Amino acid sequence: MTDKVTTTTPLHYLAKALKVLLPCGILAAGIYTTNALMEGKPKRHRPAGAPPARLVDVYHVEYSNEAPTIVAQGDVMAKRSVNLRSQLRGTITELPHHLIPGGFVRQGETLVTLDKRDYYLAVKEAEAVLDRQQALYDVEVGRRRAAEMEYQLSGQDLTEEDLALVLRHPQLAQIEADIARSQASLEKAIINYDRTQITAPFDGQIINIDTAEGSQVRDNTVLMDIVATDTFWLKASMPAQQLQWLTIPSANRHIYTNQADCLGSQVIIRNPNEWGEKQYREGCVTSLLPELDKRIKTASVLIKIDDPLAQKPENEGKPVVLLNAFLQAEFKALPMDDAIKLPRRYLQKDQFVWIMDDQNKLEARDVTIVHRGQKTVLISDGLTPGDRIVTTPLIGAIQGIALKLRSPSEQLETAETPPEPSHDLSSSTEEQRS
């Protein structure tokens, strides 16, 4: 077998070197050419001068009668509730089956009936005792008349004390006292007999029932709890300085002129989480509680809510107000003359606003704030009509920088206060919650 021998020559090594070096050379030439072109490009220098004007939107200041947005929260409580108890001992013989927790009752409706027999007999016994005492009284009156005739025929002249004894005054007075005692006993027996029927003291709803038919009860035994359904109260808490904006009825006059008219501030009551944004109930301020909260020093006002369970036809479809619910109250506050109402976001550091002056420069203007709401503020001083408040956020802005309106026609941005609801309160609209 003959082996084939490959001969290595210098030309072979040169070919391999060119395969490696040629691509590297082409890449290096490209990089060199690119750098040369970039270095030869003329540089553009920005001329020194003032920074460009910032585009902004503005709101023209106008004074008007403005009312602050007063919003408070609180719990619903019963205006009237009763822990119905028995005043007698006995067995429950009747307990209507329609009486269940959550059921409604009418004023005067019989709720519980006790066994009447013992109390009926007590009435009859008291009547018999009274009749007996009345008969004894008639007999004693006859004896007195006989003694008086005998005294006149005797011709004697007795003293007043002796004459009273002869005419049987002490015996007659004792019988009269016995008659009065018997009458009282009879009246008490009749009252106890009437108490065997326990009735509802007002229109209400049963919260719970603690007894059943056939149960033995004693005096002061708890039977059921009832709450009046005609009116609930909302106890709302707020900072004491906000009371100046509310109308609170005076204690020395009637709170209500009639069932539908309230002398206090009118209130819109909301529960957005459960009722939704569009549903609400109406109420009015009835009184101011005479003490501040011990911990957070807030004042509390009572708000009257008529027909809280929406049982009347005019409240059909409205949300139901339940006891212990945590609700939001929006008050129709007293308006202030010559004030400006602005969204709180236009206020810088809670003390000044940005103004676009006559030279279109940025100016910081201190303002006097008479009320701070959650989203709006009420300004009484510091601005003049026609001032242009900058409504565009300016990050890192300083006084004196140049400004320019966003549109040539100077279309002004409004104050963007929240839209007013469509409901009516004494022929006027109420501000939506801030």
Side-chain angles (χ1 to χ4, degrees), residues 72-77 231-238 246 256 262 265-269 281-288 300-306 327-331:
Q73 292 81 28
D75 296 320
V76 178
M77 55 189 293
T231 301
F232 284 172
W233 277 336
L234 174 62
K235 182 181 178 182
S237 299
M238 64 178 62
L246 304 182
Y256 309 104
C262 177
S265 296
Q266 294 173 322
V267 185
I268 291 298
I269 300 167
R281 294 298 302 269
E282 299 179 9
C284 66
V285 176
T286 61
S287 64
L288 169 67
S300 298
V301 295
L302 287 183
I303 301 169
K304 174 177 178 282
I305 307 175
D306 288 326
L327 303 180
Q328 176 178 282
E330 302 171 10
F331 297 85

Side-chain angles (χ1 to χ4, degrees), residues 76-80 104 203-205 227-234 259 269 275 280-283 303-312 314-325 327:
V76 178
M77 55 189 293
K79 180 182 178 181
R80 292 183 297 169
F104 294 92
D203 293 345
Q205 188 175 20
V227 61
T229 56
D230 58 340
T231 301
F232 284 172
W233 277 336
L234 174 62
Q259 187 175 3
I269 300 167
W275 300 351
Y280 65 92
R281 294 298 302 269
E282 299 179 9
I303 301 169
K304 174 177 178 282
I305 307 175
D306 288 326
D307 189 24
L309 303 182
Q311 295 176 302
K312 296 181 179 179
E314 59 267 25
N315 293 323
E316 183 178 358
K318 293 185 178 180
V320 173
V321 178
L322 300 179
L323 291 176
N324 301 320
L327 303 180

Side-chain angles (χ1 to χ4, degrees), residues 100-124:
I100 59 174
F104 294 92
V105 297
R106 305 293 295 179
Q107 183 177 6
E109 178 183 353
T110 300
L111 306 180
V112 178
T113 302
L114 301 179
D115 189 348
K116 300 181 179 182
R117 291 174 294 179
D118 291 341
Y119 299 98
Y120 175 78
L121 295 177
V123 171
K124 291 300 183 181

Side-chain angles (χ1 to χ4, degrees), residues 45-201:
H45 298 281
R46 179 175 296 174
R54 295 198 183 186
L55 295 178
V56 295
D57 294 320
V58 297
Y59 166 69
H60 278 194
V61 171
E62 292 182 1
Y63 281 87
S64 60
N65 292 343
E66 296 286 354
T69 301
I70 306 295
V71 179
Q73 292 81 28
D75 296 320
V76 178
M77 55 189 293
K79 180 182 178 181
R80 292 183 297 169
S81 61
V82 62
N83 189 240
L84 204 63
R85 297 170 181 262
S86 172
Q87 295 178 285
L88 304 173
R89 297 188 177 202
T91 303
I92 297 178
T93 57
E94 293 182 21
L95 183 67
H97 296 292
H98 70 275
L99 297 182
I100 59 174
F104 294 92
V105 297
R106 305 293 295 179
Q107 183 177 6
E109 178 183 353
T110 300
L111 306 180
V112 178
T113 302
L114 301 179
D115 189 348
K116 300 181 179 182
R117 291 174 294 179
D118 291 341
Y119 299 98
Y120 175 78
L121 295 177
V123 171
K124 291 300 183 181
E125 183 179 354
E127 289 177 345
V129 172
L130 179 60
D131 291 342
R132 180 175 179 277
Q133 296 295 335
Q134 189 66 49
L136 293 176
Y137 176 80
D138 295 338
V139 171
E140 192 60 37
V141 169
R143 291 176 179 175
R144 177 182 176 179
R145 290 177 181 173
E148 186 177 359
M149 293 177 60
E150 292 178 359
Y151 171 70
Q152 292 176 354
L153 294 175
S154 66
Q156 298 179 2
D157 189 9
L158 301 177
T159 62
E160 292 183 2
E161 291 79 3
D162 295 337
L163 183 60
L165 294 173
V166 171
L167 298 181
R168 304 182 65 82
H169 285 182
Q171 291 84 348
L172 191 61
Q174 181 179 358
I175 294 178
E176 288 175 347
D178 292 339
I179 290 176
R181 188 186 306 111
S182 298
Q183 288 177 337
S185 298
L186 176 59
E187 291 177 2
K188 183 178 180 180
I190 293 175
I191 291 174
N192 286 337
Y193 180 79
D194 293 337
R195 286 174 176 171
T196 57
Q197 283 190 321
I198 302 172
T199 60

